[in-house]
Amino acid sequence: GVFDMIYISTDDTEIRDNVVQNLNAIPFIHPKILLGEFSSVDCVVWDILVKIDYRADSFCVLLPTSPLRTPKLVRDMYHEFCLTKCDCMMSFSPNGGKHDGTAIFCDTLAFLKYRDFWRIPNMSPYYIPEKYSLDIDVPDDLTEARERYGTRKG
């Protein structure tokens, strides 16, 4: 498999309890300071790395706002991350070239050195096929996700 260990960071105790009951994962309730508008994925990753005493050589961020992501996409991206030997690989939409939320694979030491995914000089994009590339940011994105998921299943 791709992951040796799974850590989930949430501010929701119901999600934490669900993780404990149904997944082979370690949940963390993140500090309230990480709930504000000035928080970022980078801050949440820092929080988890500190809590696990920096034990991971590399890690992956899977955002919950990417509902069309498939296990195969994650495996393929991980394989590419390993082959290219880049320090960070971030998923991007094929048109528009923005991070689409599917995944970020990163070397822990590179992240600690640069403190931000976007500052890592040896970062490679991984373009997600259009039918799977969607980051839910606004209600219209959720509507689009429901439509695309229905099309994909049918």
Side-chain angles (χ1 to χ4, degrees):
V2 172
F3 305 113
D4 294 330
M5 183 58 66
I6 299 172
Y7 301 99
I8 296 176
S9 181
T10 181
D11 62 328
D12 188 312
T13 56
E14 184 178 343
I15 291 172
R16 181 206 55 209
D17 295 344
N18 190 9
V19 166
V20 168
Q21 291 176 358
N22 299 306
L23 294 174
N24 184 20
I26 298 172
F28 292 109
I29 296 291
H30 50 249
K32 290 186 188 226
I33 195 167
L34 295 180
L35 301 176
E37 64 183 89
F38 300 109
S39 183
S40 67
V41 173
D42 300 309
C43 293
V44 173
V45 168
W46 271 98
D47 181 57
I48 289 178
L49 289 173
V50 167
K51 288 175 178 170
I52 65 168
D53 198 27
Y54 310 100
R55 286 189 303 253
D57 293 331
S58 62
F59 61 88
C60 176
V61 176
L62 300 174
L63 298 172
T65 57
S66 184
L68 303 179
R69 168 182 51 233
T70 65
K72 182 179 181 334
L73 280 173
V74 174
R75 284 191 303 272
D76 291 351
M77 188 174 171
Y78 174 69
H79 180 72
E80 189 70 19
F81 173 70
C82 293
L83 282 177
T84 61
K85 298 185 179 11
C86 60
D87 289 328
C88 183
M89 181 169 281
M90 191 178 297
S91 62
F92 283 85
S93 60
N95 51 11
K98 71 173 199 151
H99 174 54
D100 74 342
T102 298
I104 302 168
F105 283 93
C106 194
D107 176 83
T108 300
L109 290 178
F111 181 77
L112 294 173
K113 179 178 180 180
Y114 294 102
R115 300 183 182 108
D116 182 324
F117 297 114
W118 296 99
R119 293 183 181 163
I120 298 173
N122 189 17
M123 195 267 285
S124 294
Y126 186 85
Y127 294 98
I128 301 297
E130 180 64 31
K131 69 180 183 175
Y132 300 110
S133 178
L134 180 65
D135 189 17
I136 296 178
D137 294 320
V138 295
D140 286 347
D141 293 340
L142 183 56
T143 301
E144 183 177 346
R146 287 182 176 134
E147 290 170 3
R148 284 203 215 171
Y149 186 77
T151 302
R152 197 176 85 193
K153 294 298 265 187

